[in-house]
Amino acid sequence: GENVEQHPSTLSVQEGDSAVIKCTYSDSASNYFPWYKQELGKRPQLIIDIRSNVGEKKDQRIAVTLNKTAKHFSLHITETQPEDSAVYFCAANTGGTSYGKLTFGQGTILTVHP
Amino acid sequence: ETGVTQTPRHLVMGMTNKKSLKCEQHLGHNAMYWYKQSAKKPLELMFVYNFKEQTENNSVPSRFSPECPNSSHLFLHLHTLQPEDSALYLCASSQDWIGETQYFGPGTRLLVL
């Protein structure tokens, strides 16, 4: 089955700096890679996703890059703000017959210091 | 947000109790999911339902029993749980089950004593 590894487990940055979180996956048939943000005590919320037919996607201060050959994808947050502090999860879908199955990474605790 | 709701939000139960978690989605989606979120562990998929049919059971112990009477409602029946089952149980839904965005509910925080 799919295995998703996420690094780092914790990340601390100063306000205004950039933050990068990286994930690798094992199933070469995976074609959908969402990123979720979970603030303390709240539900995970989708912040950006990418499909395998594109290499990069951007939404304001957030971008995701995908390298299908190397089987890794990354989340980039620029000009970080204290409200970006949360746990971030990457995920990859399982190809083949289990399309709806998302396998999540272990999560990254991002802390943005004012 | 009212897209995906879960009740109760908090639950404390003994190991011999029977309880049920409820999830309801108001998004017109066809697929629903149960996840377990434990401290310092990734989100673990438990069950997937597509058009009321169970399409995935991720090797979940039989003390967890899901039920999906229609595409809008999903239940998780709990009986004879263990303390290690204490976790946040999250429900999610998506338009369909083919690589679509999943929307999560607020979760039920379960404590098994």
Side-chain angles (χ1 to χ4, degrees):
Chain A
E2 176 74 281
N3 183 46
V4 177
E5 296 285 334
Q6 182 172 346
H7 299 280
S9 55
T10 60
L11 180 58
S12 184
V13 301
Q14 288 297 126
E15 183 176 2
D17 288 351
S18 294
V20 181
I21 303 170
K22 298 181 179 180
C23 289
T24 60
Y25 62 98
S26 60
D27 187 349
S28 57
S30 295
N31 59 7
Y32 175 64
F33 308 91
W35 285 88
Y36 284 84
K37 175 184 179 183
Q38 187 175 25
E39 296 176 49
L40 190 63
K42 296 193 174 180
R43 72 189 78 194
Q45 291 197 302
L46 179 79
I47 54 171
I48 196 167
D49 58 13
I50 192 168
R51 297 186 187 271
S52 59
N53 56 344
V54 298
E56 183 175 1
K57 185 176 178 180
K58 207 171 180 181
D59 183 3
Q60 299 182 344
R61 296 187 296 108
I62 294 172
V64 57
T65 58
L66 171 65
N67 184 326
K68 282 220 74 177
T69 304
K71 288 192 261 186
H72 67 71
F73 56 112
S74 301
L75 177 72
H76 305 253
I77 306 174
T78 58
E79 301 170 30
T80 53
Q81 300 165 3
E83 50 266 38
D84 294 330
S85 297
V87 182
Y88 290 81
F89 294 96
C90 64
N93 70 329
T94 299
T97 58
S98 299
Y99 299 115
K101 182 175 176 177
L102 285 180
T103 300
F104 284 82
Q106 297 90 330
T108 296
I109 302 172
L110 174 63
T111 304
V112 180
H113 299 281
Chain B
E1 289 185 43
T2 58
V4 182
T5 58
Q6 288 186 244
T7 55
R9 295 294 307 277
H10 301 272
L11 179 62
V12 180
M13 59 187 288
M15 288 190 283
T16 58
N17 292 159
K18 287 184 182 181
K19 296 286 184 183
S20 295
L21 310 184
K22 179 183 176 183
C23 175
E24 186 172 359
Q25 58 95 0
H26 310 272
L27 301 168
H29 289 168
N30 298 309
M32 296 187 78
Y33 312 79
W34 278 117
Y35 286 90
K36 177 182 179 183
Q37 187 174 34
S38 306
K40 299 184 179 180
K41 281 189 175 182
L43 279 159
E44 299 172 67
L45 179 67
M46 300 174 73
F47 302 103
V48 180
Y49 277 82
N50 189 48
F51 288 97
K52 304 186 298 177
E53 299 297 320
Q54 188 181 128
T55 57
E56 187 87 20
N57 176 338
N58 214 24
S59 303
V60 180
S62 59
R63 56 186 185 269
F64 295 92
S65 174
E67 178 190 1
C68 188
N70 55 61
S71 293
S72 299
H73 294 85
L74 186 63
F75 295 90
L76 188 62
H77 304 298
L78 317 171
H79 63 98
T80 58
L81 294 192
Q82 304 298 311
E84 58 264 30
D85 296 322
S86 298
L88 180 68
Y89 288 85
L90 289 159
C91 171
S93 72
S94 63
Q95 182 60 50
D96 56 49
W97 66 321
I98 303 179
E100 292 294 333
T101 303
Q102 294 182 21
Y103 296 86
F104 284 85
T108 296
R109 177 70 62 186
L110 173 67
L111 177 62
V112 182
L113 300 176

